[in-house]
Amino acid sequence: GEDVEQSLFLSVREGDSSVINCTYTDSSSTYLYWYKQEPGAGLQLLTYIFSNMDMKQDQRLTVLLNKKDKHLSLRIADTQTGDSAIYFCAERTGTASKLTFGTGTRLQVTL
Amino acid sequence: DTAVSQTPKYLVTQMGNDKSIKCEQNLGHDTMYWYKQDSKKFLKIMFSYNNKELIINETVPNRFSPKSPDKAHLNLHINSLELGDSAVYFCASSPTSGGSNTGELFFGEGSRLTVL
C-alpha cells in the first residue's frame, strides 16, 4: 500500500526544536522528502533522503530515517516564527515520476 | 521569473460549467503533473505527463481531461463541474533524465477552484 501518515498539528515555542514525524507503509521507497507549504503558496522542497541513508543534516534541518520501522522524522533546530507552515513528507516508489504525500503536519510557532 | 506558473490563481464558477486551468514551466523539465489538494490539505496526484505523453492517470472522473501541447505546458480541463471539485489544484514539474534524478517536484502556487 501507499499510506503515508503524519500527526496533524504541532505547537512549539520560538527557539525550541521541532520534531515532525511520518510513517509510511511501502518498503520499496527509494527517496523520501520533506516539503513545506506556507499559506496560499505551493509546496517547496526542504530536503530529501535516499533510502540507504539513516540521517541527513542540512543547516537547521535533520532528517532521520528508520527503514525497519518505516519511520521518517524532520527536526528543525532553533525554530523560528517563519517556520510556521504545513510540512508534508512524501515517498517515491515504483514509477520514478510518482510521489505519494503524507497528510501534512501544521507547525505553529509561538513566542 | 516564475518557474512553474498557473492561471488562474482563483476561479469561482457554477455547478455544471466547464473550466480550464493552465500551467507552464520554464525549467526545461520533461515531466509535469496535476495534484489536487482538498480542504483538509490532503494532496493527491491526478495526472502526469512525460514529454507530452500521459504516464500517470489516477482514479479521476473522466470529466477531467489533461492536455499537454508541448513539454513545457500542461492544461487541465474540467467538464460539468460538481461541488466536490472545489479544491486547490497544483501543477508541478520534475526533471526525469539523468542519473541523479532525485524525483524532486517543483510546484506552482496553486489554482483555487470554488464551485457554487
Side-chain angles (χ1 to χ4, degrees):
Chain A
E2 295 179 342
D3 291 331
V4 184
E5 298 286 338
Q6 300 176 238
S7 53
L8 287 180
F9 186 76
L10 176 66
S11 181
V12 299
R13 288 183 183 271
E14 189 178 38
D16 288 350
S17 292
S18 309
V19 179
I20 303 172
N21 295 302
C22 172
T23 57
Y24 59 98
T25 56
D26 196 327
S27 57
S28 63
S29 297
T30 52
Y31 285 92
L32 294 121
Y33 310 82
W34 284 104
Y35 281 83
K36 177 183 181 183
Q37 185 180 29
E38 295 184 357
L43 280 73
Q44 288 185 296
L45 181 70
L46 285 177
T47 187
Y48 67 88
I49 188 167
F50 188 49
S51 59
N52 68 355
M53 297 169 65
D54 298 324
M55 186 183 89
K56 180 177 180 181
Q57 188 149 3
D58 184 0
Q59 299 183 330
R60 292 191 297 124
L61 306 178
T62 303
V63 179
L64 294 178
L65 175 61
N66 182 328
K67 281 200 77 174
K68 176 175 166 290
D69 295 338
K70 300 191 188 70
H71 183 264
L72 181 74
S73 68
L74 174 69
R75 179 176 179 269
I76 306 173
D78 186 25
T79 312
Q80 303 297 307
T81 53
D83 295 325
S84 294
I86 300 176
Y87 290 80
F88 291 90
C89 63
E91 63 173 350
R92 172 183 162 185
T93 58
T95 305
S97 298
K98 185 176 175 180
L99 297 191
T100 300
F101 284 84
T103 46
T105 299
R106 185 180 295 273
L107 175 64
Q108 178 184 66
V109 182
T110 58
L111 296 173
Chain B
D1 290 357
T2 306
V4 182
S5 58
Q6 301 178 223
T7 54
K9 194 172 170 68
Y10 299 97
L11 186 54
V12 181
T13 189
Q14 300 284 337
M15 262 174 45
N17 284 349
D18 303 338
K19 291 293 177 186
S20 292
I21 308 171
K22 296 187 176 184
C23 179
E24 175 181 5
Q25 54 94 4
N26 62 6
L27 297 167
H29 290 165
D30 295 327
T31 306
M32 295 184 73
Y33 312 77
W34 280 110
Y35 276 83
K36 179 181 180 181
Q37 187 175 46
D38 64 21
S39 58
K40 295 182 179 176
K41 303 297 184 184
F42 185 66
L43 200 66
K44 189 167 172 60
I45 190 168
M46 300 173 70
F47 302 103
S48 176
Y49 273 74
N50 179 263
N51 279 321
K52 304 192 294 176
E53 182 184 339
L54 181 67
I55 55 171
I56 295 175
N57 184 354
E58 293 293 292
T59 309
V60 175
N62 58 15
R63 298 182 295 104
F64 289 78
S65 50
K67 190 165 285 187
S68 181
D70 55 62
K71 73 173 191 177
H73 295 83
L74 180 62
N75 304 322
L76 182 65
H77 187 76
I78 315 170
N79 289 327
S80 303
L81 278 156
E82 300 178 357
L83 294 177
D85 297 332
S86 295
V88 181
Y89 292 84
F90 284 99
C91 178
S93 71
S94 70
T96 51
S97 55
S100 60
N101 173 23
T102 61
E104 176 184 354
L105 299 185
F106 294 77
F107 281 85
E109 299 218 328
S111 297
R112 181 177 292 275
L113 171 65
T114 303
V115 182
L116 303 175

